[in-house]
Amino acid sequence: MTSRLRPAAALVAGLATAGLALSACGSSSLDTGSSSSSSSSSSSSSSSSGGVDPALAAKVPQKIKDKGTIVVGSDASYAPNEFLADDGKTVQGMDVDLFNAVAAKLGLKAEFRNAGFDTIILGVTSGKFDVGVSSFTINDERKKQVNMVSYFNAGTQWAVKKGNPKKVDPANACGLSIGVQKGTVQIDDLTARSKKCTDAGKPAIKQVIDADQSKVTASVISGKTDAMLADSPVGLYAVKQTGGQLEALGDIYDAAPYGFVVPKDETDFAQAIADALKAMASDGSYKAALDKWGNSSGAITDFAVNP
């Protein structure tokens, strides 16, 4: 499953070369300032309800209580989960709405900071970020480094240009150019598929890796790559938002939970986040956030630390 793997101003910009105009949907009140390293405080999303839970707020680390904000590392290039609005500053998306509601339950505000996806876990372990929220798939390797709080279920989805002109078959993509985002477990997927090709005496899969998912998507539309694979909500959203220029290929597979990333020594804080999600499920705000972004099929009920 993808490590996370993310139209938005970011996707609009990335697809400009393909001559495609997209419309962004919804937005949070969060403003990150400049695009690559900016940040700002956000009030809770409109999907939150029920107010502060004092018992949960008591589990928040003192250093975060003192600030009144949770500093969140997020790669805002992964629509519909986290991405920039048309102003190029406001971070919006499903994950943003969900975590803003979590922060509200804890009596805090979320301050999102845009960062490269493959730098976020290090940012959490080093103390640069209090939490990482960026469509991280939960796996054993990550759980060795940090606590992960499950909140959503996603799989991998392939996508191709409308009509599949290259006749791409995910089970036999030998010799093809396939786009994928840097730092994701989809790279592991492609690497394993490519090895099967070379072991059988066939050409390897050419992995075209980019740090920005919007550019991965644009490359398929332009014909630079033959296909792409990404987390299912991201791949399906790209198909929906690209005006019929892309289509999903095959079924979603390797479904696994996403997790919020919390420092390894802050298990109580991680549990408070899990309990906040449970409270959101009870008051309806969890479902409302997923419904807003068309992702209700990924809802879970077993919110847990390091499942």
Side-chain angles (χ1 to χ4, degrees):
M1 254 300 314
T2 161
S3 57
R4 132 251 224 0
L5 236 199
R6 283 160 203 311
L11 186 52
V12 171
L15 296 177
T17 56
L20 185 62
L22 304 178
S23 62
C25 62
S27 90
S28 128
S29 57
L30 187 63
D31 184 341
T32 59
S34 65
S35 61
S36 62
S37 61
S38 55
S39 67
S40 97
S41 188
S42 164
S43 61
S44 66
S45 153
S46 60
S47 63
S48 65
S49 66
V52 181
D53 185 316
L56 298 182
K59 295 183 180 180
V60 175
Q62 192 61 47
K63 64 181 181 180
I64 298 177
K65 288 181 184 177
D66 292 344
K67 291 185 299 183
T69 59
I70 303 174
V71 178
V72 182
S74 187
D75 179 359
S77 68
Y78 211 53
N81 298 352
E82 42 269 327
F83 62 101
L84 297 178
D86 290 339
D87 61 7
K89 298 179 181 181
T90 303
V91 179
Q92 60 185 2
M94 179 189 76
D95 283 354
V96 177
D97 285 356
L98 285 172
F99 198 76
N100 277 338
V102 166
K105 291 287 185 191
L106 301 176
L108 301 166
K109 293 182 180 180
E111 179 185 311
F112 278 73
R113 295 184 181 177
N114 203 1
F117 178 69
D118 57 356
T119 71
I120 294 171
I121 287 181
L122 178 60
V124 172
T125 59
S126 68
K128 180 179 180 180
F129 307 128
D130 298 318
V131 172
V133 177
S134 209
S135 304
F136 284 98
T137 300
I138 297 175
N139 60 35
D140 290 340
E141 180 181 352
R142 292 190 175 123
K143 288 192 288 184
K144 291 176 183 177
Q145 305 173 68
V146 292
N147 288 307
M148 302 196 76
V149 182
S150 58
Y151 68 92
F152 185 78
N153 210 41
T156 290
Q157 176 70 62
W158 285 61
V160 294
K161 202 165 184 176
K162 186 71 174 180
N164 194 9
K166 297 295 184 68
K167 306 303 179 187
V168 176
D169 176 1
N172 184 21
C174 306
L176 298 181
S177 295
I178 310 297
V180 65
Q181 189 185 32
K182 180 181 179 182
T184 69
V185 292
Q186 273 90 19
I187 291 179
D188 298 335
D189 185 341
L190 281 183
T191 300
R193 291 173 187 270
S194 186
K195 186 177 186 302
K196 287 183 179 180
C197 292
T198 55
D199 285 351
K202 299 178 181 179
I205 295 173
K206 181 183 178 183
Q207 297 182 28
V208 182
I209 301 171
D210 199 287
D212 190 333
Q213 175 62 37
S214 63
K215 293 180 181 178
V216 175
T217 303
S219 290
V220 181
I221 294 172
S222 69
K224 179 180 177 181
T225 55
D226 302 314
M228 71 176 192
L229 63 166
D231 285 0
S232 51
V234 174
L236 294 173
Y237 188 77
V239 168
K240 178 181 177 181
Q241 295 299 110
T242 50
Q245 297 194 54
L246 294 178
E247 66 179 49
L249 180 65
D251 297 326
I252 296 169
Y253 62 92
D254 287 349
Y258 282 165
F260 296 138
V261 174
V262 181
K264 195 67 175 175
D265 61 352
E266 294 180 359
T267 304
D268 286 348
F269 184 34
Q271 187 60 55
I273 291 172
D275 290 342
L277 287 162
K278 293 174 185 176
M280 289 165 54
S282 295
D283 67 28
S285 54
Y286 172 73
K287 183 178 184 300
L290 299 189
D291 286 348
K292 174 181 174 181
W293 298 99
N295 278 332
S296 58
S297 63
I300 65 172
T301 57
D302 51 342
F303 308 103
V305 178
N306 299 326

